[in-house]
Amino acid sequence: MKKLLLPALIAVSLLAAPAYAGNPATAAAAARTSKAADKSYKLQPQLSTLGWVGKKVTGQHNGNIQFKDGNVLVRGTQIVGGTFTVDMNSLKVEDIKEAEYNGKLVGHLRSEDFFSIEKNPTSTFKITKVAPLKADAAGNNATITGDLTIKGITQSISFPAKTGVKGGVASATGTATIDRTKFDIKYGSKSFFESIGDKAIMDDFTMSFNVIAKQ
């Protein structure tokens, strides 16, 4: 009886083992399936906003630009990733009301001196890390790090943001400070033209965003 019982127990244990045991390809597929549990929310460009402010010695200019498309990755109630595309052709200046001067500034920003939009019609941002942050006075609860690509040049940037997921909607608001010279935008920079005086344009500009994405 014992001679029959041992082989039977071995057979049962083999049948009960996971189907992917000893099969690396199946195990890898299972791991991918587990990772794919993160949900992808679709960016809503019509509900999202992206504003910019650029400063110079004698003042500043501000405007907006539109998201083209993107997605936000959600795990539970947390934003954990995302990719966004910005339509550079949508760039607008808001503080200059006179049409002629507004057009001149927009044209200059579109040129090789700045964003070279004809050659680079889109910019992108890909989130690589979202770290919890103790809420500050502005309500920011996360530090977002990601790869920003402007004029075909990619640099890593980090900035605080207020993020949340509720009722099938993922949102993120905040302001990112960007050093334009890292993207080969050197026009009017004192870092490269020391004698430019009061015509200097600051290296840093800011982008204020309000991102809305839905399932």
Side-chain angles (χ1 to χ4, degrees):
M1 186 66 176
K2 291 182 178 179
K3 291 182 178 179
L4 294 173
L5 183 59
L6 183 59
L9 289 173
I10 293 174
V12 170
S13 66
L14 288 173
L15 289 172
Y20 54 79
N23 188 332
T26 307
R32 287 195 298 271
T33 302
S34 176
K35 187 176 181 180
D38 292 347
K39 295 180 180 179
S40 180
Y41 286 33
K42 187 174 182 180
L43 178 73
Q44 307 294 301
Q46 74 279 11
L47 300 177
S48 303
T49 58
L50 188 61
W52 60 266
V53 175
K55 296 183 179 182
K56 53 185 180 178
V57 172
T58 56
Q60 68 178 45
H61 292 296
N62 66 277
N64 64 76
I65 195 164
Q66 296 177 1
F67 287 104
K68 185 176 182 180
D69 54 44
N71 70 290
V72 174
L73 294 180
V74 173
R75 184 180 305 154
T77 59
Q78 303 294 323
I79 292 175
V80 295
T83 304
F84 311 91
T85 301
V86 175
D87 178 9
M88 296 302 293
N89 279 299
S90 69
L91 185 148
K92 290 182 174 61
V93 172
E94 294 180 320
D95 65 289
I96 300 178
K97 304 305 179 184
E98 206 285 318
E100 180 181 354
Y101 292 106
N102 187 296
K104 284 183 178 180
L105 180 54
V106 170
H108 197 190
L109 292 173
R110 291 178 57 90
S111 75
E112 297 287 337
D113 284 342
F114 287 93
F115 295 102
S116 188
I117 291 177
E118 186 174 346
K119 294 180 181 177
N120 303 277
T122 60
S123 294
T124 61
F125 180 68
K126 181 178 181 180
I127 297 174
T128 56
K129 182 180 179 182
V130 180
L133 174 69
K134 184 177 180 181
D136 59 19
N140 297 315
N141 58 8
T143 298
I144 296 177
T145 300
D147 294 329
L148 176 64
T149 301
I150 299 176
K151 292 180 70 174
I153 300 170
T154 301
Q155 298 284 345
S156 178
I157 65 170
S158 295
F159 49 86
K162 180 180 180 180
T163 66
V165 180
K166 185 177 181 180
V169 178
S171 63
T173 61
T175 300
T177 300
I178 301 163
D179 181 349
R180 64 188 177 93
T181 65
K182 291 184 177 181
F183 300 90
D184 195 31
I185 305 174
K186 302 173 182 176
Y187 181 87
S189 169
K190 268 193 171 182
S191 299
F192 297 89
F193 307 99
E194 294 181 2
S195 61
I196 201 166
D198 62 5
K199 293 182 179 180
I201 300 171
M202 305 307 168
D203 290 348
D204 288 344
F205 71 98
T206 59
M207 299 291 292
S208 298
F209 58 88
N210 180 25
V211 169
I212 301 294
K214 296 183 178 181
Q215 282 183 295

